[in-house]
Amino acid sequence: MKNNKITGRLLSAPYLLWETVFILIPLGMVFYFGLTDRTGAFTLENVLAMMSAEHAKALWLSIGLSLASTLICFLLAYPLSMILAHMNVNQHSFIVLIFILPMWMNFLLRTLAWQTLLEKNGVINHILEFLHMPSLNIINTPAAIILGMVYNFLPFMVLPVYNSLVKIDPNVVNAARDLGANELQTFIKITFPLTLPGVISGITMVFVPALTTFVISKLLGGSKILLIGNVIEEEFTQAGNWHLGSGLSIVLMIFIIFNMVISAIFDKNGEGNML
Amino acid sequence: MKKELINLIDISKSFDGELVLDELNLNIHENEFLTLLGPSGCGKTTTLRIMGGFVTPDKGRVIFDGQDITSLPPNKRQLNTVFQKYALFTHMDIAENIAFGLKIKNKPKSYIDDKIKYALKLVNLEGYEKRMPDSLSGGQQQRIAIARAIVNEPKVLLLDEPLGALDLKLRQDMQYELIRLKNELGITFIYVTHDQEEALTMSDTIVVMNQGYIQQIGTPETIYNEPENAFVADFIGDSNIIDAVMLEDKLVSILGTRFACVDTGFGCNKPVDVVIRPEDVELTSPEEGSLQGVVSHLIFKGVHYEMEVMAGGFEWLVHSTQMFPVGTQVGIRVNPFNIQIMNKPESEDEEATGIEE
Amino acid sequence: MIKTTAQKIYVGLIFLFLYAPILTLILLSFNASRTRAKWGGFSLKWYAALFQNREIIQALWNTLFIAFVASLAATVIGTVACIAINGMGRRKRAVVMGITNIPMLDAEIVTGISLMLLFISLGLKFGLGTILLSHITFCIPYVVLSVMPRMKQTDASVYEAALDLGASPVLAFFKVVFPDILPGVLSGCLMAFTMSLDDFIITHFTKGAGVDTLSTKIYTEVKKGIKPEMYALSTIIFVIVLLLLFLVNKSPREKSDAAIK
């Protein structure tokens, strides 16, 4: 018994050290920099800077776009997951694969490819023209950013929802039908509530990266549209004001933590995991 | 005879090109406890699911109370199902589970509350309204699954191996519980199981199935005492199934020894199968027996001794309250009434279809 | 019938959405014209040019090296971590798991800047080393995520039985537990490799001047215009992965036993 304990400590020590050095301390440093000024004195200025007109605008825009893309991801992913779940029970790994596969082509290139597709003389407009439909001019607008977000993060919504759907015992659905519920009632009262952990997990997985992205906005939004991610990135890489960058990040982290807490409450058993 | 409630007419069904049911016909009466019994893959669950509306037959009709319900969805059918592994709604508490069907039908709240109370009392789980399904034992979950089905006052309750996940003791208790429930409710129970003991204990009628065909329909006594073919004899209880020749009416040659029997009409010198239940084999002193042999195995089983006796080149299974140690020379005697003669199947296929007519 | 057709169309459209950019990139890699705006005819010249382009090849090696080392290190650390976590009490386990998941659930930009601040404070020189440390850090949760469920399924008594039969704990682990969790370890490793390969944001904050991975190289090229060699390279990578996956899927798989009774 005692021997076990020592082995356990020996096994866990390196990892606990790793976690501390590379996860906890760095996060602590963000807080340290965010709550001090250049002289090292405590200040809330960096955090409160979020309320300035320019930063607030970026934050609200980020929230708006990420909420919109999360909603669209949900609306696209849920029916898709239902169809996939009904198709064949034993295709699980294949379906995961199909959504992971695009990641093997560089994320930046894939997003850039949308420029080619969306441009005024791009592929999509050629097709629309051919079909005698009005052309689509969304490149360098918030709509293009939303599209980029949905494109990049849709798999993060599909996989947890799909997983929670295939986990439902088909007899539970049968039982609802047996007790007199029609298909719609069965969905509302049984299927959807049972997939809620997956949905919440999907929402977290889409909302957080969408809220904090600076790449998608840079690639598809032109240079005019600034999201909060772009603001923070510029503070670090161009302006060199780590204190301000960290302060703004703290505000962002409040959103993220709020999001994580909600998903933790709904997903006690880890049912909504992606894999 | 009681009124017929369900008629399955020429039902066929295949999955992925594999025939699971082949032109099955079955009539089920009001207030009957009918058991579909057979090994896994025999089509019993499919038959039940066709009645429940979860599987559409490729061919044939399902008549319920005189009406064709073949294409009716499950929610429009007046029968309820108790599923394998219970299929409770894990995101609802017990009261919500039981109320589910009634709420769908927009019953008034007071009616629903009364029904929940009544159903929980019926399954001996009073006061469990606010518990969650996950917090109950397997046996309790099973009772809730039954309660959830019966509050809807179905004319027929379909039970799909409902006791399969329970341990032996609990299973036996639940068997009595189910008989009591059926008598109290006065409705038809259609029960699927692969456990022959369960079937014998509870049923009014047993339907033995194998490979998509009905092998025999009858009361537990008939099925046990007069199996119509080797499959039924082998599946129901332990038995000695022996190659034999029917010499003439009421005389059969078993392992070269003549035995008197009571069956007639098999013809002369016809090869047959003979079924003798282990408890019907009498062990005597060698001189008194029709056949002589040696005890090769002995196990004490509580109620009786289980012995294996090597006699005439066949290993006889014998149940007896009398003990004969291993190595004892014994005689074997069988009462003519206890020798069950069956036609030999002419081919593999025949074995399955043999007694459909 | 109509319903299933509509479903198929829907699934098809979603896959078109997911794969259209990839098709576009593949097409562009064969485009003789230097700009992506117009089609200049079929050509393989960018594939030839790719191997002459020192910078891109260097970035490719960096990317592969980082992904390989980081995923391997993360797999070892993550698997050992799983064993350790599995042996912990409930409370401690929840806390450790919570911290483990931070790099996965947290925004990448926050992980990136927090590691950047750490490396600055430690006075480390920014380069391959800092990128590696960061990649290992964000890869570990993917390994833990896929090994942990396997670990939980593994019957503890099997391990105890091995000990009972005279195996040392280490031997018992490798003979009995490891084969059981191996699928989880492998898929975790693959996941980590993929994540490392595709990462841009964290690398962006933790790389030093002069060291580039494919992602950061592409990012710096965005304004000037992407070199078509990049399209050629990513097409090659994609096709290789596709072939590998095809081969893996061709190998005999366990027969699916649909539970139809």
Side-chain angles (χ1 to χ4, degrees):
Chain A
M1 215 46 224
K2 204 169 184 189
N3 202 2
N4 266 350
K5 252 191 181 158
I6 293 168
T7 334
R9 291 242 170 91
L10 271 174
L11 278 173
S12 54
Y15 182 61
L16 292 181
L17 186 70
W18 184 281
E19 277 197 331
T20 314
V21 173
F22 291 104
I23 299 176
L24 294 180
I25 292 179
L27 281 181
M29 302 198 70
V30 174
F31 278 94
Y32 171 76
F33 275 89
L35 295 174
T36 55
D37 60 21
R38 275 169 210 271
T39 64
F42 175 80
T43 175
L44 280 174
E45 205 177 301
N46 299 314
V47 178
L48 294 176
M50 189 59 97
M51 306 223 279
S52 75
E54 178 200 3
H55 294 157
K57 192 181 152 211
L59 180 64
W60 282 118
L61 186 60
S62 293
I63 293 174
L65 296 188
S66 51
L67 281 179
S69 54
T70 307
L71 182 68
I72 294 171
C73 276
F74 169 72
L75 293 177
L76 288 177
Y78 207 98
L80 179 72
S81 308
M82 284 191 81
I83 297 169
L84 293 178
H86 272 285
M87 269 181 171
N88 196 330
V89 194
N90 295 305
Q91 299 289 315
H92 180 83
S93 55
F94 176 70
I95 284 165
V96 172
L97 207 68
I98 274 186
F99 287 97
I100 303 269
L101 195 56
M103 288 186 193
W104 286 79
M105 208 150 208
N106 191 282
F107 144 65
L108 295 162
L109 283 183
R110 273 183 290 137
T111 310
L112 275 174
W114 278 108
Q115 276 191 2
T116 311
L117 290 166
L118 292 172
E119 270 165 346
K120 223 176 206 152
N121 296 313
V123 179
I124 290 178
N125 277 333
H126 276 297
I127 295 172
L128 289 175
E129 200 180 329
F130 180 76
L131 295 170
H132 299 289
M133 283 181 4
S135 67
L136 192 68
N137 285 317
I138 63 166
I139 190 74
N140 297 341
T141 68
I145 299 179
I146 292 180
L147 184 137
M149 288 173 172
V150 172
Y151 170 72
N152 271 300
F153 306 134
L154 184 64
F156 299 144
M157 182 69 85
V158 174
L159 294 179
V161 172
Y162 169 77
N163 276 344
S164 58
L165 273 169
V166 291
K167 267 186 202 147
I168 297 176
D169 177 0
N171 270 348
V172 169
V173 175
N174 283 341
R177 302 277 281 139
D178 185 77
L179 294 167
N182 61 32
E183 282 187 57
L184 185 66
Q185 287 167 321
T186 306
F187 177 78
I188 293 171
K189 295 198 168 200
I190 305 297
T191 313
F192 189 73
L194 286 175
T195 55
L196 209 53
V199 172
I200 300 285
S201 164
I203 288 175
T204 315
M205 305 281 285
V206 174
F207 181 73
V208 171
L211 178 72
T212 58
T213 186
F214 64 89
V215 181
I216 296 173
S217 43
K218 194 145 188 167
L219 298 187
L220 297 177
S223 49
K224 279 165 287 174
I225 303 173
L226 277 189
L227 296 186
I228 192 63
N230 300 82
V231 174
I232 294 174
E233 193 257 349
E234 277 170 17
E235 288 304 329
F236 274 90
T237 56
Q238 288 163 34
N241 190 347
W242 305 333
H243 294 276
L244 180 56
S246 300
L248 298 178
S249 303
I250 292 174
V251 180
L252 219 49
M253 269 152 80
I254 294 170
F255 279 91
I256 296 166
I257 290 168
F258 180 69
N259 213 308
M260 284 203 256
V261 168
I262 290 183
S263 76
I265 291 170
F266 275 91
D267 193 10
K268 284 184 200 112
N269 311 319
E271 278 175 19
N273 280 341
M274 257 175 72
L275 299 167
Chain B
M1 197 64 199
K2 276 181 243 160
K3 189 180 136 206
E4 284 182 358
L5 193 59
I6 298 179
N7 309 85
L8 300 182
I9 302 166
D10 292 333
I11 300 278
S12 295
K13 178 71 189 173
S14 45
F15 290 112
D16 300 327
E18 209 171 309
L19 199 60
V20 180
L21 291 177
D22 193 1
E23 305 208 340
L24 178 118
N25 284 284
L26 182 62
N27 301 320
I28 299 164
H29 301 94
E30 245 176 6
N31 202 9
E32 187 176 22
F33 196 126
L34 179 128
T35 300
L36 300 171
L37 175 68
S40 72
C42 72
K44 56 188 192 299
T45 298
T46 305
T47 309
L48 193 81
R49 292 170 80 81
I50 284 174
M51 288 189 262
F54 307 114
V55 172
T56 319
D58 300 335
K59 222 180 94 213
R61 288 180 300 146
V62 183
I63 307 292
F64 181 86
D65 215 358
Q67 277 183 320
D68 190 332
I69 60 162
T70 317
S71 52
L72 216 57
N75 50 324
K76 301 269 168 65
R77 298 190 181 199
Q78 278 182 304
L79 8 88
N80 286 113
T81 309
V82 176
F83 291 89
Q84 245 170 30
K85 297 196 197 120
Y86 332 130
L88 295 180
F89 306 134
T90 47
H91 60 296
M92 299 179 179
D93 66 23
I94 298 307
E96 287 169 326
N97 262 282
I98 297 175
F100 187 87
L102 301 173
K103 278 189 188 154
I104 293 284
K105 291 181 196 89
N106 286 321
K107 300 280 187 199
K109 187 168 181 327
S110 60
Y111 175 85
I112 295 178
D113 288 344
D114 284 350
K115 272 287 187 186
I116 294 173
K117 269 221 170 73
Y118 160 79
L120 283 177
K121 190 163 187 245
L122 204 61
V123 296
N124 287 326
L125 285 175
E126 287 155 289
Y128 276 67
E129 283 90 343
K130 290 289 157 232
R131 296 278 291 270
M132 295 304 281
D134 288 342
S135 73
L136 303 187
S137 70
Q140 290 170 332
Q141 290 192 38
Q142 188 55 73
R143 287 157 196 258
I144 298 302
I146 294 169
R148 182 178 69 176
I150 59 180
V151 287
N152 302 289
E153 298 175 357
K155 287 190 177 170
V156 177
L157 192 63
L158 307 174
L159 302 106
D160 185 4
E161 306 222 23
L163 309 184
L166 305 180
D167 61 47
L168 181 66
K169 181 75 181 70
L170 205 52
R171 209 153 63 215
Q172 286 169 342
D173 292 347
M174 280 302 286
Q175 288 173 16
Y176 291 112
E177 197 95 336
L178 283 173
I179 298 169
R180 175 182 67 81
L181 268 176
K182 195 227 142 210
N183 291 335
E184 262 175 56
L185 295 168
I187 60 175
T188 304
F189 275 35
I190 302 175
Y191 192 93
V192 160
T193 183
H194 61 266
D195 182 332
Q196 39 112 355
E197 199 193 301
E198 230 169 76
L200 293 173
T201 312
M202 294 188 287
S203 319
D204 299 320
T205 308
I206 296 178
V207 178
V208 184
M209 293 181 70
N210 189 33
Q211 296 179 351
Y213 298 95
I214 292 175
Q215 302 288 326
Q216 186 171 358
I217 302 176
T219 63
E221 289 86 352
T222 326
I223 299 278
Y224 189 83
N225 293 327
E226 294 156 40
E228 284 178 22
N229 61 19
F231 175 82
V232 177
D234 194 34
F235 196 77
I236 310 288
D238 297 322
S239 52
N240 298 294
I241 303 174
I242 314 167
D243 285 332
V245 179
M246 198 70 185
L247 298 173
E248 55 191 72
D249 280 356
K250 302 191 180 180
L251 187 66
V252 61
S253 164
I254 302 173
L255 305 168
T257 306
R258 288 162 179 248
F259 280 84
C261 63
V262 293
D263 294 84
T264 56
F266 283 87
C268 290
N269 292 317
K270 177 104 192 299
V272 289
D273 277 329
V274 162
V275 175
I276 303 170
R277 294 286 176 193
E279 62 271 25
D280 294 334
V281 181
E282 294 167 45
L283 295 185
T284 62
S285 60
E287 310 80 59
E288 289 174 74
S290 328
L291 199 63
Q292 283 72 41
V294 184
V295 178
S296 58
H297 280 281
L298 170 73
I299 304 167
F300 178 58
K301 287 279 202 176
V303 194
H304 56 253
Y305 291 94
E306 183 175 295
M307 284 166 281
E308 278 169 26
V309 176
M310 201 61 200
F314 182 84
E315 193 134 89
W316 295 69
L317 187 68
V318 183
H319 291 171
S320 168
T321 49
Q322 238 188 317
M323 197 264 280
F324 296 84
V326 172
T328 315
Q329 295 278 338
V330 291
I332 282 178
R333 211 165 57 185
V334 187
N335 185 316
F337 287 100
N338 291 330
I339 296 178
Q340 173 75 19
I341 310 280
M342 303 176 305
N343 272 318
K344 261 196 171 317
E346 274 163 25
S347 68
E348 277 294 294
D349 200 38
E350 184 79 3
E351 185 163 16
T353 47
I355 41 71
E356 242 211 315
E357 262 54 61
Chain C
M1 215 53 212
I2 296 166
K3 201 173 154 193
T4 54
T5 314
Q7 286 180 351
K8 274 181 193 156
I9 291 173
Y10 184 74
V11 174
L13 282 176
I14 298 265
F15 284 138
L16 186 66
F17 175 63
L18 285 176
Y19 282 84
I22 290 174
L23 284 176
T24 311
L25 290 174
I26 293 175
L27 279 177
L28 285 176
S29 75
F30 297 111
N31 185 2
S33 155
R34 179 165 264 280
T35 77
R36 56 186 166 77
K38 69 171 194 281
W39 178 251
F42 181 85
S43 160
L44 287 172
K45 68 177 174 188
W46 303 121
Y47 288 84
L50 167 64
F51 295 99
Q52 310 299 324
N53 190 326
R54 273 254 203 76
E55 279 181 35
I56 291 186
I57 296 296
Q58 182 59 43
L60 172 66
W61 286 131
N62 284 344
T63 308
L64 290 177
F65 173 76
I66 291 165
F68 193 74
V69 176
S71 59
L72 218 62
T75 305
V76 173
I77 299 174
T79 307
V80 174
C82 280
I83 301 165
I85 293 170
N86 211 29
M88 289 176 185
R90 262 185 75 144
R91 264 259 189 77
K92 197 174 173 195
R93 182 193 196 135
V95 172
V96 175
M97 277 305 275
I99 299 172
T100 302
N101 286 333
I102 289 178
M104 194 173 58
L105 297 176
D106 201 352
E108 281 178 280
I109 186 171
V110 176
T111 309
I113 60 169
S114 71
L115 285 165
M116 177 185 173
L117 290 174
L118 174 79
F119 297 142
I120 289 171
S121 308
L122 292 178
L124 291 181
K125 191 173 164 294
F126 279 68
L128 273 185
T130 48
I131 301 178
L132 263 179
L133 286 173
S134 320
H135 277 229
I136 295 170
T137 302
F138 79 76
C139 282
I140 289 174
Y142 293 97
V143 176
V144 174
L145 187 74
S146 72
V147 175
M148 211 55 192
R150 283 268 166 185
M151 201 76 136
K152 275 186 195 154
Q153 279 168 23
T154 304
D155 194 351
S157 58
V158 178
Y159 173 73
E160 280 159 14
L163 291 183
D164 183 67
L165 294 169
S168 70
V170 175
L171 187 72
F173 173 78
F174 278 102
K175 284 273 172 193
V176 179
V177 181
F178 193 68
D180 251 20
I181 61 171
L182 189 62
V185 173
L186 289 180
S187 74
C189 185
L190 186 72
M191 197 72 194
F193 190 82
T194 311
M195 289 298 163
S196 170
L197 205 67
D198 201 41
D199 176 69
F200 163 70
I201 297 174
I202 293 169
T203 316
H204 179 65
F205 287 106
T206 54
K207 84 184 185 83
V211 182
D212 264 317
T213 64
L214 286 175
S215 294
T216 58
K217 188 110 194 70
I218 293 165
Y219 192 69
T220 49
E221 280 180 8
V222 166
K223 278 185 210 119
K224 298 179 267 172
I226 303 286
K227 291 203 178 71
E229 291 98 312
M230 270 306 178
Y231 302 139
L233 177 61
S234 52
T235 302
I236 292 174
I237 295 176
F238 188 75
V239 170
I240 290 176
V241 171
L242 210 60
L243 283 177
L244 281 178
L245 289 175
F246 185 70
L247 285 178
V248 171
N249 271 322
K250 272 284 244 191
S251 63
R253 267 196 288 179
E254 51 190 306
K255 216 188 147 216
S256 52
D257 260 355
I260 300 163
K261 267 189 224 158

